[in-house]
Amino acid sequence: MDLSADMMALVLALVSGILMAVQGSLNTALSKVIGLLETTFVVHLIGTIILVVLLFVFRMGKGNIAALSQAPWYTYLGGAIGVFIIYLVAASIPKVGVANATTAIIVGQVLTAMAID
């Protein structure tokens, strides 16, 4: 076991959690201006644009996108799930607040992770 690699993975996970809380707050603020479904669309559109630039302009990808057709059909459900995540987080934060929503998200993640493991 490489302790430094494990520690780096945990730090990355921590940063991910921080960014999730910030993203939820930002998405909630945007949804108050343009609407919840519209915010979900804009968030994914901006993410798509950034990924197109990273993958095809800066050639940062290290994988094999040509193998896309070889992936099982259900592995594509992550994209659909992502839409629901953005929508549901932005819908819950105005009702219960960032801390309560994030706590519920973490409980859901941990319970699901336990079931998957």
Side-chain angles (χ1 to χ4, degrees):
M1 178 165 96
D2 184 359
L3 188 57
S4 62
D6 290 348
M7 186 58 74
M8 179 54 83
L10 289 174
V11 168
L12 292 175
L14 175 69
V15 171
S16 174
I18 292 167
L19 292 176
M20 286 173 152
V22 171
Q23 180 195 39
S25 299
L26 294 172
N27 291 348
T28 298
L30 182 60
S31 73
K32 289 178 181 178
V33 177
I34 68 171
L36 192 51
L37 201 55
E38 294 79 4
T39 294
T40 304
F41 173 76
V42 168
V43 166
H44 281 86
L45 180 63
I46 291 169
T48 299
I49 292 167
I50 290 169
L51 286 170
V52 165
V53 170
L54 293 176
L55 282 171
F56 302 111
V57 175
F58 293 107
R59 305 217 182 267
M60 291 179 68
K62 306 238 187 290
N64 181 13
I65 200 160
L68 193 60
S69 64
Q70 297 172 12
W73 69 268
Y74 57 85
T75 60
Y76 297 107
L77 294 176
I81 290 171
V83 170
F84 288 106
I85 291 170
I86 297 295
Y87 183 91
L88 295 171
V89 169
S92 65
I93 287 177
K95 307 280 192 232
V96 298
V98 178
N100 289 332
T102 301
T103 300
I105 290 164
I106 292 167
V107 169
Q109 287 176 330
V110 171
L111 292 174
T112 303
M114 288 170 51
I116 292 170
D117 279 349

